[in-house]
Every structure is written in C-alpha cells, then in structure tokens.
Amino acid sequence: MYKVAIVDDEPVIVRGLTKMIPWESYNCRVVGTAGDGQEGMKLIREQKPDILISDICMPGIDGLTMIAGMKSEFGHMQITILTGFRDFDYAQQAIRLGVTRFLLKPSKMDELEEAVRVMIENLEKQGITGKEDGTDESVGENTPKAEGNREGEEGKEKAEPSEGKEGEETDSPASCFIVKNALAYIEENYREKLKLSDVADQIYVSQWHLSKLLNKHTGQNFSEILNTIRIEKAKELLKDPSLRIGDIAEEVGFLDVAHFSRVFKKQAGISANEYRNTKLGS
C-alpha cells in the first residue's frame, strides 16, 4: 500500500484527513501524523512516505524551503499543500518546486480526493505501485479502484521501484532552490564555527544529501566552499593596514592563525602578508 503522512498544526485537520478520506480504497494507509514542521521532517525521514499532505504555514518553519528539501531528497514523494495562506505567488512557487496540488482551507472532500488520485497516478508513472513493502494485496480488492488496477498490477508486482523511490533529484528546481539557500546561509554565517550539519538543518535536508548537491552544483565540497568565502572576505580586510593578520583570521572564522595561513596560501598562491604588501603597494 502507498504510505501517507499528514502534517498540520491543527489537530482537527489531522483527524479529519485521517478519518474522512477512504484511504484503503486508494490502496493507501496513513503511517503517521505530525503537528509541526520539525516533527514532520522526522516522520518523513523515518517512514519515507509516498504521499504527503501538509500545511506550510506552521510555527518555526520556512514552508517553501521545507517543500524544496523534501522534493529534492525524496524525489518520488507526492505532496499536496493544504493551507489557509492565500498568496498566488507563493502557490506558484510551491508548484514550481514540485508540489502536486495547492489547496486552500477549507477544502471540499472532492478536491482532496482528486488530489489523492493525481498523486497516485504520478506514483504509478514512476513505476511505484504501492506494493514494495509486501503489503497484503487483498486490501481494498472489492473496490472499483482495486478492480480497475488488477490487470496498473499483475505485471508489476515483482518489478523494482524506479530510482525516484529512494533517489534524490539533484538537478530539479527544488534542488537548485536548496543549493541557493545553502550558499546564502554559508555567506551569512561564515564567521561562525559552521558545520555541514548546521546548514542542512536550516534547509530541511540530510547532511549526506546536501553534500551531494553542493558537489554537483558547485564542484566543491562544503569545506572548500566555506574556506573560499572566508578567504575572499579576508582579502578585503587585508587592505586595511591597521588590522593584524591574527585579528583578520579570527574575524573570518578561523580558530588559529596557522590554519588560516595554510588555507590562504593554498587558495591565493601567496601568503597573507605577501598579498597585503602587493595590494598596499599597488
């Protein structure tokens, strides 16, 4: 069966979606619910749902970034947004990032069920039949949906899921959005003792996935990107003769001067002092 996750900070909405939609007739089961974005991301990583119905206007999250993170890391997952946030530009951007449907609260039942049908159709197009977990095929067999699929299933029951089932989409709009946000966060926080995990947490993806995206889009790993930004900032500060090398190293985020000196020479080809003398002498 297809796995469904529901994320919303309104308990009545969560209960309604869980109970009112006839999930079994769509060969689906709700594997978990969450009341906020962080809880939702934990649920998604644990369960890897095929279908997600979620609000994006919840405390403590950046809705668009969360969507981008999920679509980038879990490329197969189908997402329907159910929200009270009435902003057309926001909705358009969500669709560009890979959301299947953007529904406004309160939504009618036929709108919700239409969204479920479209998400299932999209999964089937990826070769994902909802049977990878070995679920008993008898569930929902008396419904028209199951009968109609008996022939979208006999030939597929032993088929391997497509790469999208577990795979990430490194070139998708969502992935590009994630890389842009990651680079912006590094640019803003390069002075701090920044780790890859800090950036990943901010943009709702795993460290492993973020590392893969940065390498794919920039040709550099996280440390190289961070050091490049730090050294470029240091070059600007070296133009001020009143600043000591040690102070500059600390200002741009290095813990000791020796490490700063090694990285600077590796990137610039000359030492920080030589660079300063060249710039001040020109």
Side-chain angles (χ1 to χ4, degrees):
M1 300 181 87
Y2 293 112
K3 297 195 288 185
V4 179
I6 299 170
V7 182
D8 200 296
D9 61 349
E10 297 182 66
V12 66
I13 298 291
V14 173
R15 286 196 300 271
L17 291 172
T18 303
K19 302 294 184 184
M20 294 178 66
I21 296 177
W23 292 111
E24 286 193 359
S25 70
Y26 291 107
N27 193 31
C28 296
R29 62 188 173 96
V30 177
V31 295
T33 64
D36 61 56
Q38 294 298 331
E39 208 181 305
M41 290 303 300
K42 182 180 178 183
L43 170 65
I44 289 163
R45 290 217 167 88
E46 289 175 353
Q47 294 292 338
K48 295 182 173 61
D50 303 299
I51 290 172
L52 172 69
I53 299 180
S54 178
D55 196 349
I56 45 175
C57 295
M58 294 179 287
I61 68 163
D62 176 340
L64 287 177
T65 303
M66 186 178 81
I67 290 168
M70 290 185 293
K71 282 302 295 182
S72 176
E73 191 166 357
F74 306 100
H76 82 288
M77 187 167 59
Q78 300 297 300
I79 303 174
T80 285
I81 298 303
L82 182 62
T83 184
F85 188 55
R86 299 170 183 272
D87 185 297
F88 181 70
D89 290 337
Y90 197 92
Q92 278 192 318
Q93 194 165 358
I95 296 296
R96 282 196 295 271
L97 291 173
V99 166
T100 305
R101 287 288 185 271
F102 192 99
L103 304 180
L104 294 174
K105 297 177 181 176
S107 289
K108 297 177 182 178
M109 188 54 60
D110 60 349
E111 291 180 314
L112 288 165
E113 292 201 45
E114 188 271 345
V116 172
R117 287 193 294 272
V118 172
M119 289 190 286
I120 290 173
E121 288 171 6
N122 289 343
L123 288 166
E124 289 173 344
K125 289 175 183 175
Q126 297 179 61
I128 301 170
T129 65
K131 293 186 177 180
E132 290 81 6
D133 61 359
T135 303
D136 190 324
E137 295 179 25
S138 64
V139 177
E141 66 181 3
N142 293 322
T143 65
K145 178 72 178 176
E147 290 294 334
N149 287 341
R150 187 175 300 280
E151 291 181 3
E153 294 172 350
E154 284 182 357
K156 289 183 179 178
E157 61 183 67
K158 293 185 180 180
E160 292 295 323
S162 70
E163 291 184 4
K165 176 62 179 174
E166 296 293 339
E168 306 83 1
E169 297 184 4
T170 56
D171 291 320
S172 67
S175 291
C176 295
F177 185 91
I178 286 298
V179 171
K180 179 181 177 182
N181 281 8
L183 294 176
Y185 186 80
I186 297 169
E187 182 79 30
E188 291 171 6
N189 296 275
Y190 68 90
R191 296 180 183 88
E192 308 300 325
K193 188 179 178 181
L194 204 58
K195 302 189 296 294
L196 180 64
S197 59
D198 299 325
V199 185
D201 287 344
Q202 288 295 317
I203 53 179
Y204 308 99
V205 295
S206 67
Q207 295 180 58
W208 181 87
H209 185 63
L210 178 58
S211 178
K212 184 175 181 178
L213 288 180
L214 290 174
N215 271 290
K216 171 76 174 179
H217 286 258
T218 71
Q220 294 181 306
N221 62 35
F222 170 73
S223 294
E224 291 168 337
I225 292 168
L226 179 59
N227 284 337
T228 296
I229 291 173
R230 285 174 168 172
I231 296 305
E232 289 305 309
K233 301 295 182 183
K235 287 177 179 178
E236 291 299 313
L237 295 175
L238 283 166
K239 295 175 184 178
D240 183 348
S242 68
L243 295 175
R244 298 185 305 168
I245 300 292
D247 294 334
I248 292 173
E250 185 177 348
E251 173 66 19
V252 298
F254 285 91
L255 297 179
D256 63 82
V257 181
H259 184 213
F260 167 76
S261 298
R262 286 194 300 272
V263 174
F264 191 99
K265 188 164 187 177
K266 182 179 179 181
Q267 293 219 2
I270 56 176
S271 70
N273 266 323
E274 289 172 322
Y275 182 88
R276 164 174 271 174
N277 293 336
T278 299
K279 291 298 176 182
L280 292 178
S282 58

